[in-house]
Amino acid sequence: MPEKNQTNNHSIISLTVGILSLFIPFIGLILGVIGIVFSRTAVKQMNKTNENGRKLATAGLISSIVGIILQLLMIIGYVAYSSVSVS
């Protein structure tokens, strides 16, 4: 019977943290950076160990980048909104 390869744990963590970075305000910026780090380490580990999960790591990387961009736009919007004086 052929042996099944396991899915890399770092790729699953990357996807989870990347999705959370889309929905959690302000903390999502930090989660996005963590998701990118986990995604890159997952790809490096998968190259060495021949594990599955490359698509999960890619999805985690993309969702982390989108989460960071959304969080930065939200922070810029908040700063712009709070700097307008109401006189």
Side-chain angles (χ1 to χ4, degrees), residues 8-19:
N8 190 301
N9 290 333
H10 286 266
S11 63
I12 296 170
I13 293 171
S14 169
L15 181 61
T16 305
V17 173
I19 291 172

Side-chain angles (χ1 to χ4, degrees), residues 5 7 16 18 27 36 39 43 47 51-52 74-75 78 80-81:
N5 289 341
T7 304
T16 305
I27 299 172
I36 290 172
S39 174
V43 170
N47 286 337
E51 289 179 317
N52 293 331
M74 184 181 70
I75 290 170
Y78 179 74
Y81 178 76

Side-chain angles (χ1 to χ4, degrees), residues 17-35:
V17 173
I19 291 172
L20 288 176
S21 73
L22 294 170
F23 298 112
I24 300 178
F26 299 110
I27 299 172
L29 189 63
I30 298 167
L31 291 175
V33 173
I34 292 171

